[in-house]
Amino acid sequence: MQYFVPCGRGLEYLLADELLALGAEKATAAQSGVNVEGEAESLLRCALWSRFGSRALWPLLEFDCASEDDLYAAVHAIDWREHLEPEGTLAVHATVSGPGFNHSRYAAQRVKDAIVDRLRFDTGTRPSVDVDNPDLRLDLVVRKGKAILSVDLAGPLHRRGWRQGQGDAPLKENLACAVLARAGWTREALAAADAAGTPLALLDPMCGSGTLLVEGALIAADTAPGLLRHGEEPPTRWRGFDHALWQRLVDEAKSRDRRASLPAHFFGVDLDMRIVQQARRNAEAAGVFDAIDFRTGDIADLQRPCEGPGVVACNPPYDERLAADEALYAAIGSALQQAVPEWRGAILCGSEALAHATRLRARKRYAISNGALECCLLACESFAPPPPRVEGEARALNENAQMVANRLRKTLKHSARWREREGVTCFRAYDADLPEYAAAVDVYAEDDGEARTFLHVQEYAPPASVAEHDARRRFGELLAALRDVFGVPKEHIATKTRARGKGGSKYGRMDERQEAFYVREGAVRLEVNLFDYLDTGLFLDHRPLRTRIFEEAKDARFLNLFCYTGAATVHAAVGGAASTTSVDLSSTYLEWAARNMAINGQVGPQHRYVKADVMSWLRAEKGEYDLIFCDPPTFSNSKDKDDFDVQKHHVDLLGAAMRRLAPGGVLLFSNNFRRFKPELETIAKFAEIEEITPDTIGPDFERNPRIHRAWLLHRGRPRD
């Protein structure tokens, strides 16, 4: 079966890994959730075991839905006697968007009306509504004219059942588990520490009502969240529920539960005696009271709680109600550096500015949402302060470098909200913002392994009026500022010089480090190499175009011309394309594209890679495609084909591509030739063309809106 498990933003990849571990055959991260393929048992395991998911949704019906009348008709057509006792109770949760829907609550009401009317017609009896404890809980999603109606098997998964009370800013249990996972508090890490004879301790120096410590203890005890939430009762009274399978899973979970023998390696501190008492009540309700040592105390007086290794997980105050300020976060950082310098951990900060105020060296920063609040999760390999600078090894920034550093920090602060909201981890951070420091700086955050941050610095060739020694000095000051702001070693900074020349830039090898790594863009992972080529394998300015391709590719036959490393193809495939075809003359790029597809689970005969001259291939090709992406180079000189000039040849190129476009299809055309002028009157003879450049320039490229131009071509009206 195929199903969707929703979650909070920022938890998608943790949830995908968890669902695979729970038996799913395939789990692909999407926006605020994971698309899953697997046996029915995997969804029941999710309902019982998931620590990161929000709901476990069993799909009943997927249908076209352009209006509330369509919704009523489709729901009314179901024989609800198979799902609900006629005198039973139900509740409906709805999330809708689109021109045919005005309000989610009204859509939920229409679903309820359709069920009531059908059961009354079939049985003469009607069910009633019970939002708190219904026999049948349903979930409706309507988006882009498609509706999915699902049975909600277990209600909100973050409600574990142990919470007796809470403070002013409670942390949802599934978000707490994400903080713990990023801190390094996992079953694998705990098992490895036990095997080495050095069991891990868990410390929350600002514990509040104890959410992090209780969830951390339940992870250590291998306690299924559903055991606390449902006890011996099934999670739903849906008539289609497999009670025998659920009972088998519950029995298995009970045999694994180790709360009774959990060692006392958990420590919580908070300044408020009343909230500490509440934390103790919560721990007692969860069955982990004896394992947690709760105390009152100030963060400034924090002491090491025990000998041996440990992990810190902390959720300091950061919203307006709790009046967070940078001084508090500086005190947290200082306390951890002094009390547990060699421990690792994670701190959920209200913003990147607050994270920076801790002065802690981050292994990685994660954009994550706590309800409506956009936060920065700071993950640290250790809390040890940076080693003192050795004379001659590093110097304080001079006045000019400090000016550049200040500008960088201002730009990063300005873009933080956008990056956190969109989950962007690879972006342009600087583009000659200060004319004397003429370079483009791109940030690439590694998606696995050590989760390192790399910088790709492209220096623009200085004008002849600038002396060589001044250009070198300025570039050195820029690099010093980058190392100071991003806290990266110099070996994580790739530097290139881009100069204009006949035929455009050369795409030759630059180095032999062969240090490729993976980055995350939306729902896909991509391989990049910052050091061995002039370009990295990922054109960051095309991010909005790739997002559009992902959103429009469902069931489409996708064609990528001049495919480069296949990033657009991966987005189309993960977005649900029926097939993909990637065409390029370079074997190196086609092999790279195939690797990108493979790491996203996109393999099989429906995905083709064609080594060919695009113009020649288009003239010979007979197939039709629903979605075409064409991003040609400005110039191309190759011994294997005729020279290509986008200005000279774009009409022939687009004409040939349009002949391969299926009725109702869309062609997206882009290029980065600054002086490009499309021959609109000629193109209009075979296609309707609309420039969409403003919609394809991300916030990080707004200072350089001429980075590329883009057009949409189609016959007749474009697809919705």
Side-chain angles (χ1 to χ4, degrees):
M1 61 186 298
Q2 297 181 346
Y3 55 92
F4 181 76
V5 180
C7 66
R9 191 178 66 82
L11 278 62
E12 295 92 344
Y13 306 117
L14 290 168
L15 177 58
D17 290 342
E18 178 186 61
L19 293 172
L20 289 172
L22 290 175
E25 296 172 8
K26 185 177 180 181
T28 305
Q31 184 174 0
S32 298
V34 175
N35 293 306
V36 190
E37 295 179 14
E39 299 294 335
E41 180 175 328
S42 66
L43 183 51
L44 265 66
R45 286 189 178 275
C46 169
L48 180 62
W49 278 100
S50 180
R51 301 186 190 277
F52 304 115
S54 298
R55 306 259 176 179
L57 303 178
W58 183 290
L60 284 182
L61 181 66
E62 182 172 355
F63 55 97
D64 293 331
C65 188
S67 68
E68 288 159 352
D69 290 338
D70 292 343
L71 174 62
Y72 179 91
V75 176
H76 189 273
I78 298 175
D79 185 353
W80 288 99
R81 292 172 295 182
E82 299 177 1
H83 304 284
L84 178 65
E85 295 285 351
E87 66 277 6
T89 59
L90 75 152
V92 183
H93 174 267
T95 304
V96 300
S97 62
F101 295 87
N102 298 319
H103 201 286
S104 294
R105 184 172 297 178
Y106 183 65
Q109 181 69 32
R110 291 293 283 167
V111 172
K112 188 269 294 181
D113 290 345
I115 297 171
V116 168
D117 292 347
R118 177 61 189 264
L119 279 173
R120 184 162 46 196
F121 176 82
D122 289 338
T123 70
T125 304
R126 56 158 290 165
S128 57
V129 172
D130 182 350
V131 296
D132 296 321
N133 187 29
D135 297 322
L136 177 64
R137 192 185 299 271
L138 296 171
D139 183 270
L140 171 72
V141 175
V142 180
R143 183 172 179 265
K144 292 186 175 180
K146 294 285 186 180
I148 300 177
L149 183 66
S150 305
V151 175
D152 185 345
L153 292 181
L157 297 184
H158 75 272
R159 295 178 184 172
R160 312 290 204 229
W162 55 257
R163 194 181 293 278
Q164 303 298 299
Q166 59 194 33
D168 292 330
L171 187 66
K172 283 187 177 181
E173 291 87 329
N174 50 1
L175 180 55
C177 285
V179 175
L180 290 161
R182 296 306 189 191
W185 188 263
T186 64
R187 289 287 304 164
E188 294 76 15
L190 290 163
D194 288 341
T198 56
L200 288 176
L202 180 63
L203 167 66
D204 185 348
M206 304 183 77
C207 68
S209 58
T211 305
L212 285 162
L213 290 165
V214 169
E215 287 297 317
L218 294 174
I219 291 170
D222 201 16
T223 304
L227 286 181
L228 295 169
R229 184 166 49 245
H230 307 296
E232 296 293 329
E233 296 294 323
T236 178
R237 291 182 288 279
W238 171 44
R239 299 188 76 177
F241 189 68
D242 190 336
H243 290 271
L245 175 56
W246 176 260
Q247 189 58 53
R248 177 169 66 79
L249 297 179
V250 167
D251 291 342
E252 174 193 297
K254 289 165 67 176
S255 70
R256 290 169 53 175
D257 189 0
R258 297 289 182 268
R259 280 177 289 175
S261 58
L262 195 62
H265 285 300
F266 302 85
F267 304 91
V269 182
D270 200 278
L271 192 61
D272 188 338
M273 170 62 77
R274 291 173 299 175
I275 202 66
V276 169
Q277 291 172 346
Q278 183 60 67
R280 290 181 176 133
R281 288 192 290 271
N282 286 336
E284 185 173 14
V288 294
F289 177 80
D290 292 337
I292 307 178
D293 180 1
F294 287 109
R295 302 179 181 179
T296 56
D298 193 299
I299 187 68
D301 302 321
L302 183 67
Q303 300 293 317
R304 184 187 187 94
C306 66
E307 294 302 318
V311 172
V312 173
C314 186
N315 174 39
Y318 42 76
D319 68 354
E320 293 180 358
R321 290 176 298 140
L322 300 181
D325 58 39
E326 295 188 2
L328 172 63
Y329 280 72
I332 294 170
S334 177
L336 294 174
Q337 286 178 339
Q338 294 178 28
V340 287
E342 77 280 16
W343 287 18
R344 64 183 302 177
I347 302 173
L348 187 59
C349 306
S351 66
E352 285 202 4
L354 292 173
H356 181 73
T358 67
R359 296 297 179 184
L360 296 172
R361 290 185 298 170
R363 170 176 56 84
K364 191 169 182 180
R365 288 176 168 87
Y366 298 91
I368 201 165
S369 295
N370 183 6
L373 298 173
E374 297 173 356
C375 302
C376 175
L377 181 57
L378 186 71
C380 301
E381 196 62 44
S382 78
F383 297 111
R389 288 174 173 164
V390 178
E391 186 174 353
E393 181 179 77
R395 294 179 297 175
L397 298 181
N398 65 26
E399 183 178 353
N400 292 333
Q402 189 62 59
M403 173 185 67
V404 179
N406 292 342
R407 182 56 181 256
L408 283 164
R409 289 195 173 95
K410 180 179 179 181
T411 302
L412 290 172
K413 183 176 181 180
H414 177 73
S415 69
R417 183 174 294 274
W418 160 69
R419 288 185 283 113
E420 292 173 4
R421 182 179 66 250
E422 301 294 334
V424 173
T425 59
C426 301
F427 59 95
R428 178 147 295 182
Y430 177 90
D431 197 351
D433 297 21
L434 301 172
E436 299 88 348
Y437 298 88
V441 179
D442 295 327
V443 179
Y444 289 81
E446 190 178 22
D447 186 52
D448 59 0
E450 301 176 28
R452 301 165 296 180
T453 296
F454 290 83
L455 303 179
H456 187 247
V457 183
Q458 302 169 85
E459 181 188 19
Y460 301 125
S465 59
V466 177
E468 177 66 20
H469 68 274
D470 283 335
R472 291 299 91 209
R473 174 184 56 79
R474 291 173 182 174
F475 193 59
E477 290 169 345
L478 172 63
L479 294 179
L482 290 172
R483 291 195 295 270
D484 183 73
V485 170
F486 290 96
V488 298
K490 62 181 180 181
E491 58 268 22
H492 286 188
I493 303 178
T495 59
K496 316 280 178 65
T497 297
R498 305 200 70 147
R500 293 180 180 176
K502 287 188 176 181
S505 298
K506 298 291 185 181
Y507 286 76
R509 293 187 67 87
M510 305 291 291
D511 205 340
E512 293 289 344
R513 289 177 54 164
Q514 298 183 354
E515 191 174 347
F517 59 93
Y518 300 130
V519 298
R520 177 67 61 176
E521 183 177 82
V524 311
R525 299 177 78 210
L526 298 166
E527 176 186 313
V528 297
N529 185 326
L530 274 58
F531 298 94
D532 293 355
Y533 301 89
L534 183 60
D535 287 308
T536 68
L538 182 63
F539 295 129
L540 297 184
D541 61 298
H542 274 161
R543 185 193 313 108
L545 271 170
R546 289 190 290 269
T547 299
R548 179 170 186 156
I549 288 169
F550 174 86
E551 293 173 346
E552 297 189 4
K554 179 69 171 175
D555 298 327
R557 295 164 293 178
F558 177 70
L559 173 61
N560 190 357
L561 301 173
F562 305 96
C563 72
Y564 189 41
T565 60
T569 303
V570 178
H571 276 270
V574 174
S579 65
T580 68
T581 301
S582 303
V583 185
D584 204 286
L585 194 60
S586 168
S587 298
T588 298
Y589 290 153
L590 287 171
E591 292 169 2
W592 198 331
R595 292 197 302 272
N596 275 332
M597 290 283 279
I599 63 175
N600 288 275
Q602 303 299 325
V603 295
Q606 71 273 28
H607 302 301
R608 293 197 299 156
Y609 308 92
V610 182
K611 183 179 184 300
D613 166 42
V614 167
M615 295 293 292
S616 300
W617 183 83
L618 282 172
R619 285 191 287 266
E621 172 67 0
K622 302 300 182 183
E624 282 192 339
Y625 301 89
D626 307 298
L627 181 60
I628 301 176
F629 180 52
C630 181
D631 178 38
T634 300
F635 303 102
S636 180
N637 310 99
S638 172
K639 63 181 180 180
D640 297 329
K641 68 179 184 69
D642 296 333
D643 293 350
F644 177 85
D645 180 326
V646 70
Q647 183 63 67
K648 180 179 178 181
H649 296 118
H650 74 277
V651 172
D652 290 341
L653 170 65
L654 294 176
M658 288 296 296
R659 287 191 287 273
R660 304 276 57 82
L661 191 66
V666 168
L667 188 156
L668 297 171
F669 170 61
S670 175
N671 77 80
N672 62 354
F673 180 35
R674 295 292 180 89
R675 297 188 298 277
F676 178 74
K677 295 181 179 179
E679 297 183 23
L680 297 177
E681 292 185 3
T682 305
I683 295 171
K685 296 177 181 178
F686 56 81
E688 293 189 18
I689 182 169
E690 171 191 356
E691 183 162 6
I692 58 172
T693 302
D695 296 332
T696 69
I697 302 295
D700 48 337
F701 286 91
E702 287 178 345
R703 281 182 51 82
N704 185 14
R706 297 173 61 200
I707 188 70
H708 70 245
R709 293 177 69 189
W711 292 263
L712 182 149
L713 286 77
H714 57 86
R715 298 191 187 96
R717 297 186 61 188
R719 295 194 309 171
D720 290 335

